[in-house]
Amino acid sequence: MIRSLAIPTPFAVGRVNCLLVEDDPLTLVDCGPNSATALVELERCLAEHGRRVEDLERIVLTHQHIDHIGLASILAERSGAEVCALDLLAPWLASYSASMEADDAFAERIMRRHGVPSEVGLALRAVSAQFRAWGASVEVTRTLVDGDALAFADRTWTVHHRPGHSPSDTVFHDVERRELIGGDHLIGHISSNPLVSRPLDGPEEPRPHALLTYLDSMRATREMDLEVVLPGHGEPVTDHRALIDQRFAAHEKRAAKILTVLEAGPRSVHEIAQALWGNVAVTQAYLTVSEVLGHLDLLVGRGQVEERVEDELARWAAVAR
């Protein structure tokens, strides 16, 4: 039995689904943010099912975002549970504060290159610094790699690395039950944003192509034989192929709209974002940069757009047909 525990977060996405797997070992997938409110609600949800934090034997983390990893250290300390996560993610989690600082510096460089005013980048970095308290470092005691088997008494999950929404997105496939523990890889009511993120390993340049990576991940998931995807937010997904096809169509539509904007003349990413959405909130600045860059990568791959860099500012232009 897998029970979904909806835990509150302070973020626009709303509650996060922490999954209680009532098997041996007793397992919690994702933890909610590092807040007293989230912890109290998690304890209440566990009690509804006759469980306590101290009963947990395994904690599984699907990816690095703070609404999913925030309480992991507290829960592990109280329960003695093993903490399982992708091997590439373990060093990031162990050095959480330094990792977040490096991620913010990376994002600021990306924004500066793509025309976001410096005051917006500084303001967003200040907001991000405030958000860090919702996460915390944790020691991963069992690292996972793509293709691993995570065994229980009554089920076995196959581990699949599905990067795109974040570099560490990991899904868990129960082949026998045709279930996928999806994290934020595939969510029914909203599209998972492929954020341009600092790589977990390897150089930061050339810039990661998050949307292209995410599309490849979704293609792999589309081929899976699934009855249900249990996501990190919202309701279960019961027709993953139809949903993925909708996502593909939406990305094609967005790319076409960006190409139309560029046919009027070269623009920076920030200027494209303003043409699409007007003046966006500071908290959305990097999200919109990532959104535009992802679709520009699609258009560059098709020979429809090219990047031109002058004085460290990148501008994008439609290629003459």
Side-chain angles (χ1 to χ4, degrees):
M1 172 75 72
I2 297 181
R3 303 184 186 276
S4 182
L5 314 181
I7 304 303
T9 80
F11 310 116
V13 72
R15 289 178 178 258
V16 60
N17 295 331
C18 300
L19 303 179
L20 180 65
V21 186
E22 295 195 301
D23 202 334
D24 183 13
L26 184 68
T27 296
L28 187 71
V29 179
D30 290 338
C31 304
N34 180 26
S35 75
T37 300
L39 179 57
V40 167
E41 181 65 7
L42 178 60
E43 289 174 324
R44 188 193 68 77
C45 290
L46 288 170
E48 280 188 350
H49 302 296
R51 304 290 190 174
R52 303 174 306 142
V53 167
E54 288 74 15
D55 297 331
L56 297 174
E57 298 169 292
R58 174 186 285 165
I59 296 166
V60 175
L61 302 176
T62 62
H63 65 295
Q64 67 206 69
H65 291 161
I66 54 182
D67 52 331
H68 295 258
I69 60 98
L71 286 173
S73 181
I74 290 173
L75 301 182
E77 184 175 347
R78 284 179 53 180
S79 65
E82 67 172 351
V83 178
C84 306
L86 189 72
D87 60 341
L88 295 175
L89 181 56
W92 190 98
L93 289 169
S95 303
Y96 169 76
S97 293
S99 299
M100 288 290 285
E101 178 63 27
D103 289 352
D104 287 350
F106 172 83
E108 193 171 0
R109 290 193 295 273
I110 293 289
M111 287 189 287
R112 186 167 57 246
R113 177 184 175 90
H114 293 289
V116 176
S118 58
E119 61 270 21
V120 173
L122 288 172
L124 183 57
R125 195 162 182 180
V127 170
S128 179
Q130 291 179 333
F131 279 178
R132 281 184 212 166
W134 300 107
S137 63
V138 63
E139 179 187 359
V140 176
T141 56
R142 180 175 177 181
T143 56
L144 307 172
V145 298
D146 190 70
D148 269 355
L150 193 59
F152 299 76
D154 193 42
R155 73 195 72 214
T156 298
W157 289 349
T158 303
V159 178
H160 297 285
H161 185 200
R162 292 279 193 267
H165 170 65
S166 83
S168 56
D169 287 322
T170 313
V171 301
F172 302 88
H173 186 199
D174 186 330
V175 176
E176 182 180 352
R177 290 174 174 82
R178 300 171 62 215
E179 289 178 344
L180 188 72
I181 308 301
D184 286 1
H185 171 61
L186 193 62
I187 300 172
H189 66 291
I190 53 172
S191 177
S192 301
N193 302 303
L195 291 173
V196 178
S197 303
R198 184 176 64 92
L200 293 172
D201 64 337
E204 296 179 8
E205 296 293 340
R207 167 183 57 79
H209 295 166
L211 178 58
L212 300 184
T213 298
Y214 183 48
L215 294 176
D216 284 343
S217 289
M218 282 202 292
R219 289 186 190 100
T221 299
R222 193 186 187 285
E223 295 304 309
M224 300 175 88
D225 178 25
L226 301 175
E227 182 174 305
V228 65
V229 178
L230 302 177
H233 303 274
E235 297 298 317
V237 174
T238 55
D239 191 342
H240 70 294
R241 292 192 176 106
L243 181 58
I244 289 171
D245 288 345
Q246 289 174 21
R247 298 285 186 261
F248 289 160
H251 288 303
E252 289 296 330
K253 186 175 180 180
R254 177 60 50 78
K257 194 168 185 178
I258 289 174
L259 182 58
T260 299
V261 170
L262 291 178
E263 285 172 345
R267 301 194 189 197
S268 69
V269 164
H270 182 61
E271 290 167 337
I272 295 169
Q274 287 185 311
L276 293 174
W277 301 295
N279 290 321
V280 299
V282 167
T283 53
Q284 301 298 308
Y286 196 64
L287 175 62
T288 58
V289 166
S290 293
E291 177 81 5
V292 172
L293 279 173
H295 293 89
L296 288 170
D297 290 339
L298 269 179
L299 295 167
V300 167
R302 296 168 182 173
Q304 295 176 288
V305 163
E306 63 183 8
E307 182 181 17
R308 302 171 182 174
V309 181
E310 184 176 348
D311 296 329
E312 298 185 349
L313 175 64
R315 293 173 69 84
W316 302 77
V319 175
R321 299 180 182 179

mmCIF file of all heavy atoms in Angstrom, residues 184-203:
data_model
loop_
_atom_site.group_PDB
_atom_site.id
_atom_site.type_symbol
_atom_site.label_atom_id
_atom_site.label_comp_id
_atom_site.label_asym_id
_atom_site.label_seq_id
_atom_site.Cartn_x
_atom_site.Cartn_y
_atom_site.Cartn_z
ATOM 1 N N ASP A 184 8.749 15.102 -9.433
ATOM 2 C CA ASP A 184 8.277 16.224 -10.265
ATOM 3 C C ASP A 184 8.557 16.011 -11.748
ATOM 4 O O ASP A 184 8.428 16.941 -12.544
ATOM 5 C CB ASP A 184 8.925 17.532 -9.804
ATOM 6 C CG ASP A 184 8.343 18.034 -8.496
ATOM 7 O OD1 ASP A 184 7.454 17.359 -7.944
ATOM 8 O OD2 ASP A 184 8.793 19.092 -8.008
ATOM 9 N N HIS A 185 8.939 14.806 -12.116
ATOM 10 C CA HIS A 185 9.218 14.517 -13.522
ATOM 11 C C HIS A 185 7.977 14.694 -14.390
ATOM 12 O O HIS A 185 8.057 15.211 -15.516
ATOM 13 C CB HIS A 185 9.756 13.091 -13.643
ATOM 14 C CG HIS A 185 9.880 12.592 -15.042
ATOM 15 N ND1 HIS A 185 10.691 13.193 -15.983
ATOM 16 C CD2 HIS A 185 9.290 11.526 -15.676
ATOM 17 C CE1 HIS A 185 10.595 12.530 -17.126
ATOM 18 N NE2 HIS A 185 9.760 11.528 -16.971
ATOM 19 N N LEU A 186 6.824 14.288 -13.889
ATOM 20 C CA LEU A 186 5.583 14.386 -14.657
ATOM 21 C C LEU A 186 4.442 14.679 -13.693
ATOM 22 O O LEU A 186 4.129 13.866 -12.824
ATOM 23 C CB LEU A 186 5.317 13.083 -15.415
ATOM 24 C CG LEU A 186 4.235 13.120 -16.489
ATOM 25 C CD1 LEU A 186 4.603 14.092 -17.604
ATOM 26 C CD2 LEU A 186 3.991 11.728 -17.057
ATOM 27 N N ILE A 187 3.836 15.862 -13.858
ATOM 28 C CA ILE A 187 2.756 16.323 -12.988
ATOM 29 C C ILE A 187 1.545 16.629 -13.857
ATOM 30 O O ILE A 187 1.675 17.243 -14.923
ATOM 31 C CB ILE A 187 3.189 17.577 -12.199
ATOM 32 C CG1 ILE A 187 4.410 17.252 -11.332
ATOM 33 C CG2 ILE A 187 2.051 18.110 -11.342
ATOM 34 C CD1 ILE A 187 5.021 18.468 -10.668
ATOM 35 N N GLY A 188 0.372 16.220 -13.397
ATOM 36 C CA GLY A 188 -0.809 16.312 -14.235
ATOM 37 C C GLY A 188 -1.293 17.723 -14.488
ATOM 38 O O GLY A 188 -1.574 18.101 -15.628
ATOM 39 N N HIS A 189 -1.383 18.558 -13.460
ATOM 40 C CA HIS A 189 -2.066 19.845 -13.591
ATOM 41 C C HIS A 189 -1.158 20.998 -13.978
ATOM 42 O O HIS A 189 -1.642 22.072 -14.326
ATOM 43 C CB HIS A 189 -2.810 20.181 -12.295
ATOM 44 C CG HIS A 189 -1.912 20.424 -11.110
ATOM 45 N ND1 HIS A 189 -1.178 19.420 -10.524
ATOM 46 C CD2 HIS A 189 -1.637 21.552 -10.410
ATOM 47 C CE1 HIS A 189 -0.496 19.922 -9.504
ATOM 48 N NE2 HIS A 189 -0.756 21.210 -9.417
ATOM 49 N N ILE A 190 0.147 20.808 -13.902
ATOM 50 C CA ILE A 190 1.089 21.844 -14.315
ATOM 51 C C ILE A 190 2.266 21.187 -15.032
ATOM 52 O O ILE A 190 2.597 20.035 -14.777
ATOM 53 C CB ILE A 190 1.627 22.669 -13.126
ATOM 54 C CG1 ILE A 190 2.208 21.745 -12.044
ATOM 55 C CG2 ILE A 190 0.561 23.598 -12.560
ATOM 56 C CD1 ILE A 190 2.921 22.480 -10.932
ATOM 57 N N SER A 191 2.895 21.962 -15.906
ATOM 58 C CA SER A 191 4.084 21.468 -16.588
ATOM 59 C C SER A 191 5.293 21.623 -15.674
ATOM 60 O O SER A 191 5.483 22.665 -15.041
ATOM 61 C CB SER A 191 4.303 22.256 -17.884
ATOM 62 O OG SER A 191 5.477 21.840 -18.535
ATOM 63 N N SER A 192 6.104 20.585 -15.575
ATOM 64 C CA SER A 192 7.334 20.652 -14.779
ATOM 65 C C SER A 192 8.344 21.540 -15.509
ATOM 66 O O SER A 192 8.723 21.239 -16.641
ATOM 67 C CB SER A 192 7.906 19.249 -14.578
ATOM 68 O OG SER A 192 6.970 18.417 -13.933
ATOM 69 N N ASN A 193 8.777 22.594 -14.851
ATOM 70 C CA ASN A 193 9.663 23.554 -15.509
ATOM 71 C C ASN A 193 11.083 23.012 -15.608
ATOM 72 O O ASN A 193 11.676 22.695 -14.573
ATOM 73 C CB ASN A 193 9.684 24.870 -14.726
ATOM 74 C CG ASN A 193 8.313 25.478 -14.594
ATOM 75 O OD1 ASN A 193 7.649 25.733 -15.576
ATOM 76 N ND2 ASN A 193 7.877 25.712 -13.360
ATOM 77 N N PRO A 194 11.636 22.922 -16.820
ATOM 78 C CA PRO A 194 13.034 22.506 -16.943
ATOM 79 C C PRO A 194 13.953 23.700 -16.651
ATOM 80 O O PRO A 194 14.185 24.544 -17.511
ATOM 81 C CB PRO A 194 13.161 22.057 -18.405
ATOM 82 C CG PRO A 194 11.764 22.051 -18.955
ATOM 83 C CD PRO A 194 10.997 23.033 -18.143
ATOM 84 N N LEU A 195 14.451 23.788 -15.442
ATOM 85 C CA LEU A 195 15.301 24.904 -15.054
ATOM 86 C C LEU A 195 16.730 24.680 -15.525
ATOM 87 O O LEU A 195 17.262 23.573 -15.416
ATOM 88 C CB LEU A 195 15.289 25.060 -13.532
ATOM 89 C CG LEU A 195 13.974 25.531 -12.914
ATOM 90 C CD1 LEU A 195 14.060 25.463 -11.394
ATOM 91 C CD2 LEU A 195 13.629 26.943 -13.361
ATOM 92 N N VAL A 196 17.347 25.723 -16.051
ATOM 93 C CA VAL A 196 18.760 25.655 -16.414
ATOM 94 C C VAL A 196 19.542 25.645 -15.109
ATOM 95 O O VAL A 196 19.629 26.660 -14.415
ATOM 96 C CB VAL A 196 19.171 26.850 -17.296
ATOM 97 C CG1 VAL A 196 20.657 26.786 -17.613
ATOM 98 C CG2 VAL A 196 18.347 26.874 -18.573
ATOM 99 N N SER A 197 20.080 24.493 -14.756
ATOM 100 C CA SER A 197 20.683 24.305 -13.437
ATOM 101 C C SER A 197 22.160 23.981 -13.558
ATOM 102 O O SER A 197 22.602 23.371 -14.532
ATOM 103 C CB SER A 197 19.980 23.149 -12.697
ATOM 104 O OG SER A 197 18.599 23.385 -12.573
ATOM 105 N N ARG A 198 22.905 24.376 -12.548
ATOM 106 C CA ARG A 198 24.324 24.033 -12.480
ATOM 107 C C ARG A 198 24.471 22.511 -12.457
ATOM 108 O O ARG A 198 23.781 21.824 -11.691
ATOM 109 C CB ARG A 198 24.928 24.647 -11.215
ATOM 110 C CG ARG A 198 26.432 24.458 -11.055
ATOM 111 C CD ARG A 198 26.922 25.203 -9.825
ATOM 112 N NE ARG A 198 26.338 24.659 -8.604
ATOM 113 C CZ ARG A 198 26.888 23.699 -7.860
ATOM 114 N NH1 ARG A 198 28.051 23.162 -8.228
ATOM 115 N NH2 ARG A 198 26.299 23.290 -6.763
ATOM 116 N N PRO A 199 25.326 21.952 -13.305
ATOM 117 C CA PRO A 199 25.468 20.490 -13.336
ATOM 118 C C PRO A 199 25.928 19.934 -11.993
ATOM 119 O O PRO A 199 26.669 20.590 -11.254
ATOM 120 C CB PRO A 199 26.524 20.262 -14.424
ATOM 121 C CG PRO A 199 26.508 21.506 -15.252
ATOM 122 C CD PRO A 199 26.164 22.617 -14.308
ATOM 123 N N LEU A 200 25.492 18.723 -11.692
ATOM 124 C CA LEU A 200 25.930 18.068 -10.463
ATOM 125 C C LEU A 200 27.356 17.548 -10.581
ATOM 126 O O LEU A 200 28.019 17.314 -9.573
ATOM 127 C CB LEU A 200 24.986 16.910 -10.121
ATOM 128 C CG LEU A 200 23.567 17.325 -9.729
ATOM 129 C CD1 LEU A 200 22.676 16.104 -9.598
ATOM 130 C CD2 LEU A 200 23.559 18.138 -8.453
ATOM 131 N N ASP A 201 27.797 17.350 -11.812
ATOM 132 C CA ASP A 201 29.188 16.976 -12.037
ATOM 133 C C ASP A 201 29.595 17.560 -13.379
ATOM 134 O O ASP A 201 28.760 17.895 -14.217
ATOM 135 C CB ASP A 201 29.385 15.454 -12.026
ATOM 136 C CG ASP A 201 28.636 14.765 -13.165
ATOM 137 O OD1 ASP A 201 27.654 15.356 -13.673
ATOM 138 O OD2 ASP A 201 29.018 13.647 -13.529
ATOM 139 N N GLY A 202 30.875 17.732 -13.581
ATOM 140 C CA GLY A 202 31.338 18.231 -14.862
ATOM 141 C C GLY A 202 31.310 19.747 -14.935
ATOM 142 O O GLY A 202 30.876 20.433 -14.015
ATOM 143 N N PRO A 203 31.774 20.287 -16.054
ATOM 144 C CA PRO A 203 31.913 21.744 -16.214
ATOM 145 C C PRO A 203 30.566 22.449 -16.372
ATOM 146 O O PRO A 203 29.583 21.847 -16.791
ATOM 147 C CB PRO A 203 32.743 21.866 -17.502
ATOM 148 C CG PRO A 203 32.424 20.621 -18.274
ATOM 149 C CD PRO A 203 32.219 19.546 -17.245
#
